[in-house]
Amino acid sequence: MKKNVLTALGAIAAILVVAAIAVLPRLERLAPAPAAIGGPFSLTDHTGRAVTDQDFRGKPMLIYFGYAYCPDVCPTSLATMAAALDKLGPKADKLTPLFITVDPERDTVETIDDYVAAFHPRLVGLTGTPEQVAEVAKAYKVYYKKAPNPGGEGYTMDHSSVIYLMDAEGRFLTHFAHGTSPEAMAEGLAKHLD
Ligand code: NI
């Protein structure tokens, strides 16, 4: 009797396993794909030229969102990006490093021109109207918000600090978290540059 029950349970378990194996791949296909990062944008570069995402096709884009008045996080991230580019040597020419402001009110063409030059000669700065910036930030799932300046005058910007690597067609490849070392970033980038 006990043996029969065990045999029956064993058979049921086997059926469930077979059913699960058959059904799981279908469920996986039904699950929604993760929302894509990236998309079209229209902005103005640090030379004053109107550009769109299409102008950057053909080379992977390494993108950081921030603002020129940022006291510490942005300078650290951009310095890391610049150091990673230098470590890559000639390979770095195969990608375009971009800085996109989340503070269009203060980050004029002149401001970002000076700002990007302070980090790397190949760094492209992008600004735009508040609407254009809102659109690109939304496409890249970047959070930003004005915050009162604890030090006194003006304001600071709370913003997500992540560096995106997009492929030559503008599709998401990978990202680097704040605090990634230049060595790790150069290594991560090299995998996508041949
Ligand atoms: Ni910042």
Side-chain angles (χ1 to χ4, degrees):
M1 183 64 182
K2 206 178 175 189
K3 200 179 175 188
N4 284 347
V5 169
L6 286 178
T7 309
L9 285 177
I12 289 165
I15 288 164
L16 287 177
V17 166
V18 169
I21 288 167
V23 167
L24 277 179
R26 273 175 226 173
L27 287 179
E28 213 163 276
R29 278 199 296 273
L30 288 175
I37 288 169
F41 59 76
S42 296
L43 294 162
T44 302
D45 77 8
H46 64 276
T47 70
R49 188 173 66 113
V51 294
T52 74
D53 53 297
Q54 293 296 322
D55 292 306
F56 299 101
R57 289 290 179 274
K59 278 186 183 184
M61 301 183 286
L62 185 64
I63 310 180
Y64 183 73
F65 288 81
Y67 68 113
Y69 291 83
C70 184
D72 48 23
V73 175
C74 291
T76 306
S77 296
L78 290 169
T80 300
M81 252 169 83
L85 293 176
D86 288 342
K87 282 186 188 303
L88 279 172
K91 256 194 174 181
D93 293 341
K94 294 184 176 180
L95 61 80
T96 307
L98 296 169
F99 164 76
I100 303 180
T101 186
V102 293
D103 185 13
E105 200 178 303
R106 289 183 297 192
D107 283 350
T108 62
V109 166
E110 293 72 25
T111 300
I112 58 163
D113 186 24
D114 290 342
Y115 193 63
V116 293
F119 290 97
H120 199 275
R122 292 198 54 241
L123 184 60
V124 174
L126 298 176
T127 186
T129 65
E131 293 75 21
Q132 288 174 324
V133 168
E135 198 184 339
V136 67
K138 191 180 172 197
Y140 281 82
K141 313 239 179 311
V142 167
Y143 161 85
Y144 67 103
K145 195 177 193 295
K146 256 189 202 182
N149 182 5
E153 281 177 41
Y155 60 90
T156 62
M157 300 294 293
D158 287 341
H159 66 96
S160 30
S161 185
V162 58
I163 300 172
Y164 291 115
L165 180 65
M166 312 299 288
D167 74 7
E169 300 302 316
R171 292 168 305 212
F172 176 82
L173 278 174
T174 189
H175 75 276
F176 301 97
H178 181 69
T180 302
S181 71
E183 293 76 16
M185 195 180 294
E187 215 170 278
L189 292 173
K191 281 184 209 157
H192 297 281
L193 305 170
D194 37 42

